[in-house]
């Protein structure tokens, strides 16, 4: 039941979509590590930070995806470099090596923990291997990456840096059959606050929570849900996914990327331990 006039693919990224800010640390000497940079929100964040002049170390297990991200950065003619750093975030040694590679390209000040995945299952049947995988990628890896990045920030002359963690509306409330995801997204808000508590003000932690974004993770589920429920793809988006939201449109990946840019910049100076809840009214309104 496809809807012909209904567009689920994100439009091609243009320069106009990207938030570009003046910041003394937004230069090629500064490195931002972005995980999940091979697709979706991570790719958009890698390109957006490179558009802000930063050197970006894009980390992902998907090497082809990373190459496409480099191609997108080149197409947009961004001033910053995108360095491809293939790594499997379930492997502690690969995480440590990825931070070392990133540090060989400049001063590591920023870390965007974005890589993630979903698994849908009722709690009683939830495969423990899936729980382990989701929490390895979305809790353990962000913790380990932060652990390895913090000393680099602390070694700088001014100690300025930040870790931004990709949470979700599911880091605020729960729906059924997503226990590992919800547990992970709540944990990422906790990690952000823990970093803020230790960061002495100049090294900050924050989280980003959004509803539904046009990425493969979400878009690929829509035709199946439409078929299963016998409704159109538009109805899946507007009634099932965004039924609770006031803004009945999914976000574009670049709109999420812009939140990381804002959070890392000097304009985010007082964002410390806090959460950027950009959810179109999803979480805080009720009909
Ligand atoms: P996506 O599937 O497009 O991208 C996820 C990326 O993570 C992929 O490139 C994948 O290769 C990478 N990844 C997964 N496992 C990895 C591993 N072991 N090692 C290295 N990389 C690995 O998904 P997305 O929609 O861009 O989601 C990105 C993040 O945003 C996730 O944490 C997700 O939970 C969160 N989020 C997404 C939405 C949404 O609607 N799309 C909403 C809220 C939060």
């Amino acid at each position: 039941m496809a809807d012909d006039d209904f567009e689920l693919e994100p439009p091609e990224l243009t320069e106009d979509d990207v938030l570009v800010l003046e910041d003394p640390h937004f230069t090629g000497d500064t490195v931002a590590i972005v995980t999940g940079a091979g697709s979706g929100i991570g790719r958009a964040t890698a390109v957006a930070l490179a558009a802000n002049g930063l050197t970006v170390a894009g980390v992902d297990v998907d090497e082809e995806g990373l190459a496409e991200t480099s191609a997108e950065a080149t197409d947009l003619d961004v001033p910053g470099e995108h360095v491809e750093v293939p790594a499997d975030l379930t492997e502690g040694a690969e995480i440590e090596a990825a931070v070392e590679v990133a540090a060989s390209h400049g001063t590591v000040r920023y870390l965007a923990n974005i890589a993630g995945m979903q698994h849908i299952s009722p709690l009683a049947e939830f495969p423990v291997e899936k729980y382990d995988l989701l929490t390895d990628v979305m809790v353990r890896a962000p913790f380990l990456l932060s652990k390895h990045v913090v000393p680099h920030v602390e070694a700088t002359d001014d100690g300025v840096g930040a870790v931004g963690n990709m949470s979700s509306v599911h880091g605020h409330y729960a729906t059924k059959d997503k226990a590992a995801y919800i547990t992970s997204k709540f944990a990422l808000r906790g990690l952000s606050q823990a970093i803020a508590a230790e960061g002495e003000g100049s090294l900050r932690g924050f989280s980003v929570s959004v509803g539904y974004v046009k990425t493969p993770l979400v878009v690929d589920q829509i035709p199946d849900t439409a078929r299963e429920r016998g409704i159109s793809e538009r109805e899946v988006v507007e009634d099932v996914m965004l039924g609770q939201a006031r803004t009945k449109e999914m976000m574009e990946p670049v709109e999420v990327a812009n939140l990381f840019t804002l959070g890392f910049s000097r304009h985010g100076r007082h964002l410390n331990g806090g959460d950027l809840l950009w959810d179109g009214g999803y979480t805080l309104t009720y009909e």
Side-chain angles (χ1 to χ4, degrees):
M1 285 197 194
D3 243 354
D4 290 342
D5 61 337
F6 188 50
E7 192 46 71
L8 284 172
E9 287 301 314
E12 205 169 307
L13 191 62
T14 69
E15 235 181 295
D16 284 350
D17 300 319
V18 180
L19 179 69
V20 175
L21 296 170
E22 286 290 322
D23 187 293
H25 293 303
F26 284 10
T27 67
D29 298 335
T30 304
V31 178
I33 298 174
V34 177
T35 76
S39 178
I41 296 167
R43 171 178 293 161
T45 303
V47 173
L49 292 172
N52 275 273
L54 291 147
T55 295
V56 176
V59 178
D60 207 294
V61 73
D62 176 0
E63 295 191 28
E64 279 175 28
L66 286 178
E68 279 176 47
T69 303
S70 295
E72 200 167 306
T74 306
D75 284 351
L76 221 61
D77 200 17
V78 296
E81 193 190 351
H82 175 250
V83 182
E84 295 164 29
V85 187
D88 183 345
L89 293 171
T90 62
E91 298 291 335
E94 293 193 29
I95 288 172
E96 193 168 356
V99 176
E100 271 175 37
V101 172
S104 71
H105 288 269
T107 305
V108 179
R109 288 186 187 269
Y110 305 112
L111 165 63
N113 283 311
I114 299 179
M117 63 193 55
Q118 180 61 277
H119 185 80
I120 312 273
S121 168
L123 195 48
E125 290 146 33
F126 211 99
V128 75
E129 320 76 77
K130 285 289 180 191
Y131 171 85
D132 288 342
L133 177 62
L134 265 67
T135 54
D136 275 358
V137 173
M138 294 193 284
V139 184
R140 190 168 184 271
F143 173 85
L144 281 179
L145 281 159
S146 304
K147 176 181 154 72
H148 295 307
V149 161
V150 164
H152 288 282
V153 180
E154 287 177 344
T156 61
D157 49 358
D158 58 6
V160 169
V163 178
N165 292 311
M166 189 69 220
S167 185
S168 162
V169 289
H170 286 102
H172 291 261
Y173 74 175
T175 55
K176 62 182 183 177
D177 301 338
K178 295 182 177 175
Y181 188 83
I182 291 160
T183 303
S184 302
K185 294 307 184 186
F186 271 77
L188 282 166
R189 291 183 59 207
L191 176 64
S192 308
Q193 291 180 221
I195 292 165
E198 289 188 31
E200 309 274 348
S202 56
L203 166 63
R204 296 176 293 108
F206 66 90
S207 52
V208 172
S209 294
V210 301
Y212 287 95
V213 187
K214 288 182 192 171
T215 72
L217 187 141
V218 166
V219 169
D220 293 351
Q221 303 171 20
I222 293 171
D224 284 347
T225 310
R227 242 187 328 273
E228 273 165 27
R229 297 192 183 217
I231 57 179
S232 71
E233 293 186 5
R234 182 191 291 278
E235 284 166 329
V236 171
V237 173
E238 293 180 0
D239 301 340
V240 181
M241 290 179 165
L242 300 176
Q244 197 60 37
R246 295 295 161 263
T247 311
K248 300 286 181 196
E249 266 180 75
M250 286 197 280
M251 268 177 107
E252 309 292 346
V254 65
E255 294 178 288
V256 188
N258 290 339
L259 298 178
F260 282 92
T261 302
L262 176 66
F264 287 156
S265 77
R266 65 193 168 92
H267 302 288
R269 196 161 68 90
H270 290 276
L271 174 67
N272 203 1
D275 179 65
L276 297 177
L277 177 62
W278 246 248
D279 72 346
Y282 210 106
T283 315
L284 301 178
T285 66
Y286 195 83
E287 247 170 22

